[in-house]
């Protein structure tokens, strides 16, 4: 499980889980704002917010069978990633923007 604070929107943070979900929390409302889910249910090993754009986040899949990065733009969709980056040979355990 990882937690990442949004540097552009101070009351927003994201948490990832081994079950393939990433929750984006609104701390002002004290509840989840949305959930991003990996369709393959691969574990999300790390998350990182775009430091210049507060509604873009990247998730990294730690599963060796599906080592992908997914870039999400929360303005356009919380169900489909904006882009999926493939090519790693093993699961991704750490990322930074």
């Amino acid at each position: 499980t990882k937690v990442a604070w949004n540097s552009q929107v101070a009351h927003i943070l994201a948490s990832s889980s081994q079950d393939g979900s990433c929750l984006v929390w609104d701390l002002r409302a004290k509840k989840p704002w949305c959930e991003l889910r990996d369709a393959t249910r691969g574990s999300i090993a790390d998350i990182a917010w775009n430091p210049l754009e507060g509604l873009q986040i990247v998730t990294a899949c730690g599963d060796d069978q599906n080592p992908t990065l997914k870039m999400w733009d929360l303005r356009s969709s919380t169900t489909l990633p904006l882009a999926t980056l493939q090519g790693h040979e093993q699961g991704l355990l750490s990322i930074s923007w």
Side-chain angles (χ1 to χ4, degrees):
T1 303
K2 295 284 185 161
V3 174
W5 287 95
N6 186 319
S7 64
Q8 297 295 308
V9 186
H11 65 278
I12 299 292
L13 69 84
S15 63
S16 68
S17 175
Q18 295 295 322
D19 70 359
S21 67
C22 175
L23 288 174
V24 177
W25 296 87
D26 181 337
L27 299 180
R28 284 188 184 159
K30 298 180 182 173
K31 64 181 183 178
W33 181 70
C34 70
E35 180 180 16
L36 310 175
R37 184 162 285 284
D38 187 307
T40 65
R41 296 245 186 227
S43 67
I44 297 177
D46 204 4
I47 47 181
W49 289 99
N50 180 335
L52 302 176
E53 179 53 60
L55 292 175
Q56 290 182 347
I57 190 170
V58 172
T59 59
C61 183
D63 183 359
D64 288 341
Q65 303 304 312
N66 185 33
T68 57
L69 289 171
K70 293 187 180 180
M71 185 169 128
W72 304 82
D73 188 329
L74 303 182
R75 293 171 296 194
S76 60
S77 177
T78 59
T79 56
L80 294 172
L82 183 65
T84 299
L85 306 172
Q86 299 174 326
H88 287 84
E89 295 178 8
Q90 294 181 325
L92 303 161
L93 302 179
S94 180
I95 57 171
S96 65
W97 195 285

